């Protein structure tokens, strides 16, 4: 990763050029791009950078899967109001979401966030394709995510797997739940519809603690215990179910990323790992 990762002045110039290209290509449109905003730190800091530093006007997409904590929704509201941006909330069918999630729990596969990840990204990509958006900006980044969990656990857009699990364990039909297959996302949307996914946080200096402080000072943004813990189910899955079912603590990936990028020491990480990731009660 490191030789091609320019999160410095060179990277910023590259991102400015990308932003200028986006502006030229969308000069007659109300919005330049789409951003999926969850209320978490990555997408929140991304929204700040895109609006305030790159002078783009994104349309924000918030996907409500029924699991968000109030702190996440409040963070979204604070950013939207202070930055003067527009947001569309896509609320998925709770009965279908619940049935799919329960099917995955019954299947006992290791990656229980597949239903949510699939629905959230599918809703974003499908909206872009349907409404003619060519640029999707996401909060994915090397700075806090360069160490990945086991990849066999994260085939979150394998629709064939998802549908097979639901066929075996589900009870109702998935009539309205947003879905987007690997073929549709990687081939159809990318090459036939020309949709481009860009990760601006890879072009800038992104240090988690400084970003948290800026968001708090500028927007009154509230932090939460661990990465992705703005979501009730993910907090339960990563903090309780996965460590007890498989003996796997995803904080090791998150902390390792911060160690490698100079944002945390190994001793600090080991000290935090002595604590339970999620309160037993």
């Amino acid at each position: 990763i490191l030789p091609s990762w320019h999160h410095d002045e060179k990277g910023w110039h590259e991102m400015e050029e990308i932003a200028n290209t986006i502006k030229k290509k969308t000069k007659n449109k109300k919005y330049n791009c789409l951003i999926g905003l969850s209320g978490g730190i990555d997408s929140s800091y991304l929204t700040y950078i895109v609006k305030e530093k790159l002078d783009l006007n994104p349309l924000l997409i918030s996907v409500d899967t029924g699991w968000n904590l109030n702190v996440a929704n409040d963070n979204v509201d604070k950013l939207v109001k202070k930055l003067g941006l527009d947001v569309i909330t896509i609320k998925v069918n709770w009965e279908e979401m619940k049935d799919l999630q329960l099917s995955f729990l019954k299947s006992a596969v290791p990656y229980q966030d597949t239903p949510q990840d699939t629905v959230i990204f599918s809703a974003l990509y499908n909206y872009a394709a349907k409404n003619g958006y060519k640029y999707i900006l996401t909060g994915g980044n090397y700075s806090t995510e360069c160490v990945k969990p086991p990849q066999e656990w994260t085939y979150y857009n394998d629709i064939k797997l998802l549908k097979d699990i639901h066929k075996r364990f589900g009870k109702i039909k998935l009539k309205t739940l947003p879905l987007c297959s690997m073929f549709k996302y990687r081939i159809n949307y990318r090459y036939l519809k020309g949709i481009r996914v860009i990760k601006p946080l890879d072009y800038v200096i992104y240090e988690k603690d400084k970003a948290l402080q800026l968001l708090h000072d500028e927007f009154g943004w509230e932090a939460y215990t661990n990465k992705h813990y703005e979501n009730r189910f993910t907090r339960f899955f990563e903090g309780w179910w996965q460590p007890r079912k498989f003996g796997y603590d995803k904080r090791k990936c998150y902390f390792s990323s911060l160690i490698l990028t100079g944002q945390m020491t190994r001793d600090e990480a080991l000290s935090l790992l002595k604590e339970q990731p999620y309160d037993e009660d």
Side-chain angles (χ1 to χ4, degrees):
I1 293 172
L2 198 57
S4 59
W5 180 25
H6 304 296
H7 54 123
D8 49 18
E9 189 173 342
K10 178 181 178 181
W12 179 248
H13 287 319
E14 290 177 2
M15 190 61 234
E16 283 186 317
E17 290 180 6
I18 294 171
N20 289 332
T21 299
I22 293 174
K23 290 174 188 176
K24 290 177 183 178
K25 296 285 186 179
T26 60
K27 62 181 180 180
N28 296 321
K29 297 182 181 296
K30 184 177 181 180
Y31 306 106
N32 303 119
C33 55
L34 294 181
I35 291 178
L37 180 60
S38 68
I41 180 174
D42 296 337
S43 61
S44 296
Y45 191 66
L46 165 72
T47 302
Y48 163 77
I49 290 291
V50 168
K51 175 64 177 177
E52 295 294 279
K53 301 300 181 181
L54 295 173
D55 196 29
L56 290 169
N57 185 37
L59 174 62
L60 308 178
I61 303 293
S62 176
V63 182
D64 182 359
T65 62
W67 292 112
N68 268 5
L69 291 167
N70 289 335
V71 64
N73 296 329
D74 290 344
N75 284 341
V76 169
D77 290 341
K78 289 171 182 176
L79 283 165
V80 168
K81 290 176 182 177
K82 186 75 179 286
L83 293 173
L85 297 172
D86 293 331
V87 60
I88 290 177
T89 299
I90 299 175
K91 190 175 180 66
V92 303
N93 184 300
W94 173 241
E95 293 303 317
E96 292 183 21
M97 185 76 230
K98 185 167 59 175
D99 192 60
L100 180 59
Q101 192 71 71
L102 188 57
S103 299
F104 265 74
L105 281 168
K106 289 178 178 178
S107 76
V109 295
Y111 200 72
Q112 290 292 322
D113 250 351
T114 295
Q116 276 203 104
D117 285 348
T118 300
V119 166
I120 290 170
F121 284 103
S122 295
L124 179 61
Y125 297 146
N126 291 346
Y127 186 91
K130 182 179 179 180
N131 294 280
Y133 287 91
K134 301 297 184 183
Y135 300 98
I136 298 174
L137 277 51
T138 78
N141 64 90
Y142 292 138
S143 181
T144 65
E145 300 174 338
C146 57
V147 175
K148 299 294 183 183
Q151 289 300 296
E152 64 270 17
W153 290 11
T154 56
Y155 294 134
Y156 57 79
N157 63 341
D158 186 343
I159 300 301
K160 189 172 183 179
L161 170 66
L162 181 144
K163 288 184 175 179
D164 185 63
I165 288 174
H166 184 257
K167 183 179 179 181
R168 297 187 189 203
F169 301 104
K171 294 183 178 180
I172 65 175
K173 290 186 177 181
L174 305 181
K175 295 180 179 179
T176 65
L177 218 57
L179 298 176
C180 177
S181 67
M182 288 183 183
F183 175 82
K184 184 181 285 186
Y185 161 58
R186 296 182 183 275
I187 306 297
N188 186 2
Y189 287 176
R190 184 178 299 182
Y191 296 106
L192 300 182
K193 292 188 177 293
I195 295 175
R196 186 177 176 190
V197 178
I198 301 166
K199 300 178 180 180
L201 295 185
D202 281 342
Y203 296 86
V204 302
I205 297 174
Y206 177 39
E207 297 178 5
K208 184 178 177 181
D209 286 344
K210 291 182 179 179
L212 285 169
Q213 190 63 51
L214 182 145
L215 291 171
H216 175 75
D217 293 345
E218 292 286 329
F219 306 100
W221 191 93
E222 292 185 50
Y224 38 89
T225 309
N226 288 315
K227 188 177 178 71
H228 299 314
Y229 275 30
E230 74 274 18
N231 183 284
R232 284 186 181 90
F233 185 83
T234 305
R235 184 177 63 176
F236 158 75
F237 158 60
E238 292 190 3
W240 192 89
W241 191 87
Q242 198 172 49
R244 284 158 179 75
K245 178 76 171 174
F246 293 99
Y248 185 77
D249 188 343
K250 283 187 75 173
R251 292 180 302 168
K252 291 181 179 179
C253 291
Y254 303 144
F255 294 166
S256 293
S257 295
L258 296 176
I259 292 168
L260 289 173
T261 55
Q263 301 177 68
M264 178 183 283
T265 68
R266 187 169 184 271
D267 287 340
E268 288 172 338
L270 290 172
S271 178
L272 288 170
L273 287 171
K274 290 177 182 179
E275 302 172 8
Q276 291 295 324
Y278 188 34
D279 182 79
E280 186 71 21
D281 290 335

